[in-house]
Amino acid sequence: VQLQASGGGLVQAGGSLRLSCVASGLTFSSYTMGWFRQAPGKEREFVAAIRWSSDRTYYADSVKGRFTISRDDAKNTVYLQMNSLIPEDTAVYYCAAKFQGTASLYGYDFWGQGTQVTVSS
């Protein structure tokens, strides 16, 4: 299984980015997908998740209303649209997958390599 995240970069506060994560080696439609992030010196934290077989989503309070997670099962891809970015969003963002799981913080089986997002003030 491989999860390939991309789309990170440097953006000014208030700007937007869209992250993508392409999955291979699994039946994508059977996996709940999540996004996590880790800032320097901090623990990894949950950002958002989208459930398999439905569009049910779950967000961390810190990103609710600014970030949107979506998926395209035909393309084996999960997206994270990030709007109104703030410097506190600066982190390495990781995608993750779990088989037929709930859209929650826990229980992910596979992880991608991460993509850096830097928000300047």
Side-chain angles (χ1 to χ4, degrees):
V1 174
Q2 285 194 327
L3 303 176
Q4 184 71 40
S6 62
L10 173 64
V11 63
Q12 288 189 332
S16 298
L17 283 174
R18 188 176 81 154
L19 305 184
S20 300
C21 174
V22 179
S24 60
L26 50 74
T27 304
F28 184 78
S29 60
S30 294
Y31 281 76
T32 287
M33 300 300 295
W35 285 98
F36 293 75
R37 66 186 182 186
Q38 187 167 20
K42 295 187 177 181
E43 293 188 353
R44 185 174 61 197
E45 65 173 354
F46 171 80
V47 175
I50 185 165
R51 192 179 183 275
W52 73 286
S53 81
S54 77
D55 288 333
R56 180 167 293 183
T57 56
Y58 181 49
Y59 295 93
D61 287 344
S62 59
V63 305
K64 203 171 293 184
R66 299 189 298 121
F67 291 10
T68 302
I69 188 171
S70 61
R71 64 188 296 154
D72 185 339
D73 288 351
K75 295 183 178 180
N76 285 9
T77 302
V78 60
Y79 304 98
L80 185 68
Q81 178 66 45
M82 306 186 294
N83 298 329
S84 302
L85 285 160
I86 59 177
E88 290 75 16
D89 294 321
T90 295
V92 177
Y93 283 70
Y94 300 88
C95 59
K98 60 176 171 177
F99 181 66
Q100 294 185 349
T102 58
S104 67
L105 287 68
Y106 308 107
Y108 289 84
D109 304 306
F110 304 107
W111 294 83
Q113 87 293 352
T115 185
Q116 176 71 46
V117 171
T118 303
V119 184
S120 63
S121 56

